[in-house]
Every structure is written in structure tokens, then in C-alpha cells.
Amino acid sequence: MGSTSFHRVIAFAQFEFSRFLFSKRGLVAIISYLAIWSLILTNVVAKGAAFFKDPQFERFMAQLLGEVGLENLSTWAVPELIVFWLVAVLTFPFFAMFSAADQLCSDKARGTIRFLLLRAKREDLLLGRFLGQVLVVAAFIGIALLASIMLIVWNDAGQLSGSLHLSSQILIDLMFVVLPMIAFMLLLNVYSTSSKQAIVHCLLLLTLGSIIIGLLAEYIWQGFSFLGYLLPNASLFDTLALSASVSEQYLLPLAQTLIYGALTFTLFKKQGV
């Protein structure tokens, strides 16, 4: 039974991965992604890194990072990856939101979800769809990192070794950044009727939730600030600044992902779909 369940999870994950990449929505996303990251690499990463390499601006850039709480980034030896990190941490959660917006919605709208559940358990379907989206986002992060490494080597081949080592750590850290968002979108898919509705709900919850929690903590009780940990990427800016503790950077996203997953399964089971 365990082996059969494992194979079903893998099958759902593979289908989710291929469905996104080869669907009309996926092709539009890939083309848009490549176009946007081409602009980011040539106009942001390359030009931003040039300021770090220029002796006249090197000290100024280090001071600027310190002023905005990003002084830990100045220790990185590859300027291109400093700029890449700043852009990636702030953009990939939103990419994950759009990518993972239709993990269940279209199947519920077409009625195919009942057909799937006749042949698989609910947890197989949910876990498979989640892992499929993890693979999708990991692939896109990997493509962006590979393109960045190619840019770095083009400018200075001697930085290849350092770039590969740092890129592997960036890949791991970015995956922990996006995991809660993917799980959160799966949770929203339980009640959303379309991917657009799931995206709108996510943006509203993140925006209004942050504002309400901030107001409660400011004017009623400071302890309400801990409610922020209910939202995905609660420690995003600490992660961006490399100032997050190990528990904030790794254990918190993992705990959020598991909690969202448990809530998703519970609510999905109660729906009786």
C-alpha cells in the first residue's frame, strides 16, 4: 500500500510538472519568465554588479548595504549574485504564487477531481500536486541561477568555483522561501473556484493580514505581532538581509508548509469532493 501510494504521488507530481510546462498558461509563463529575467540579468544584475566592482563605488555600495540592513551581503565575493539574491528573494515568492494558483481549481471546475479521487487517496493527490509545483519553481530558479553563472563566467572565468558554491546555497535558501507560498496556494485552492480567485485571495490575505496584524501590535498589544507567523514568508526581509536565525530561515518555513498542508487535507476532506 505504501509503495502504491508513493508511485501515485510521483505520478501526480510528474503530471503537475508537465501540465504547467506544456499548457498554454505554462508556455506564456515560460516566455514571460525568460523575457523578464533576460532584462533583469542584463539591466539589473550586470549593471548592479558593476558598481560593486568599481573601486570608486565599492566603499559606497558597502556603506549603502549597511544603511539598509544588508551589510551581511557585502561579504559575498561574487557581486552578480548579491544583486541576484536581492531580486530573487523579492520576486520568486510571487512567481510561486502565480505558478501554484491552479493546483486544484481547474479540476474542480471540470469535475475531473472526482475521477482522480476514485483511483487515488486525497493525500496522494495533494502531495503530488504540491511536489509538482515545487519542481516547477525549482526548475525556474535553477534556470535563473544558471544564466547568472554564465554571465559571471563571461565577465570573469576565475569566479566559476566561487559562483557554483554560492549558487548551491542560494538555491537551497530560495526553495525554503517559496515552500510556504506553494503550500499556502494549495490551501486557498480548496475553496477557490479559479486560479485568478486564488491569486486575489492570496494578495488580499497577505496585504490586509499584514496591515491588521501591524495595527493590533501597535495599538493593542505587541504580542499580536506573532500572528504574522501565520502568513507565508513572515521572515522574508530577515532572510533577504541574511540576518535570520536558523530557525527563522529554515524551521519556520518548514513548519508553515506542514501546517498549511495539514489544514488543506482537513478542509479538503470535509468538502467531500
Side-chain angles (χ1 to χ4, degrees), residues 71-121:
E71 61 273 6
N72 291 332
L73 283 171
S74 62
T75 61
W76 285 9
V78 186
E80 287 88 350
L81 291 181
I82 295 177
V83 183
F84 175 88
W85 173 257
L86 293 173
V87 175
V89 172
L90 296 176
T91 58
F92 271 110
F94 291 99
F95 175 80
M97 178 185 69
F98 284 101
S99 170
D102 186 17
Q103 297 178 74
L104 297 174
C105 293
S106 60
D107 285 316
K108 290 195 301 179
R110 292 193 300 264
T112 54
I113 198 163
R114 293 182 180 274
F115 174 79
L116 293 172
L117 291 177
L118 288 174
R119 290 159 176 78
K121 295 183 291 184

Side-chain angles (χ1 to χ4, degrees), residues 186-199:
L186 182 57
L187 174 60
L188 294 179
N189 264 228
V190 173
Y191 287 107
S192 299
T193 57
S194 67
S195 58
K196 292 180 180 178
Q197 188 181 78
I199 291 171

Side-chain angles (χ1 to χ4, degrees), residues 59-229:
R59 182 176 297 178
F60 169 75
M61 294 303 295
Q63 291 176 345
L64 180 61
L65 289 176
E67 288 292 331
V68 295
L70 301 174
E71 61 273 6
N72 291 332
L73 283 171
S74 62
T75 61
W76 285 9
V78 186
E80 287 88 350
L81 291 181
I82 295 177
V83 183
F84 175 88
W85 173 257
L86 293 173
V87 175
V89 172
L90 296 176
T91 58
F92 271 110
F94 291 99
F95 175 80
M97 178 185 69
F98 284 101
S99 170
D102 186 17
Q103 297 178 74
L104 297 174
C105 293
S106 60
D107 285 316
K108 290 195 301 179
R110 292 193 300 264
T112 54
I113 198 163
R114 293 182 180 274
F115 174 79
L116 293 172
L117 291 177
L118 288 174
R119 290 159 176 78
K121 295 183 291 184
R122 294 174 187 271
E123 54 265 36
D124 296 341
L125 174 62
L126 295 176
L127 184 57
R129 291 290 169 85
F130 171 77
L131 291 178
Q133 281 301 319
V134 170
L135 290 175
V136 169
V137 178
F140 279 85
I141 293 174
I143 292 171
L145 274 170
L146 180 61
S148 299
I149 292 172
M150 292 173 64
L151 175 65
I152 293 166
V153 173
W154 177 269
N155 293 328
D156 184 1
Q159 290 189 317
L160 176 60
S161 177
S163 299
L164 290 174
H165 175 73
L166 190 54
S167 294
S168 62
Q169 185 60 49
I170 288 175
L171 176 60
I172 294 171
D173 290 346
L174 284 177
M175 289 310 301
F176 276 92
V177 168
V178 299
L179 278 176
M181 182 62 77
I182 297 173
F184 190 65
M185 292 306 295
L186 182 57
L187 174 60
L188 294 179
N189 264 228
V190 173
Y191 287 107
S192 299
T193 57
S194 67
S195 58
K196 292 180 180 178
Q197 188 181 78
I199 291 171
V200 171
H201 287 168
C202 181
L203 292 174
L204 286 174
L205 285 171
L206 292 179
T207 304
L208 296 179
S210 298
I211 293 173
I212 292 171
I213 291 170
L215 292 173
L216 290 173
E218 180 71 23
Y219 295 106
I220 298 179
W221 181 46
Q222 204 169 24
F224 279 122
S225 61
F226 286 99
L227 292 175
Y229 291 115

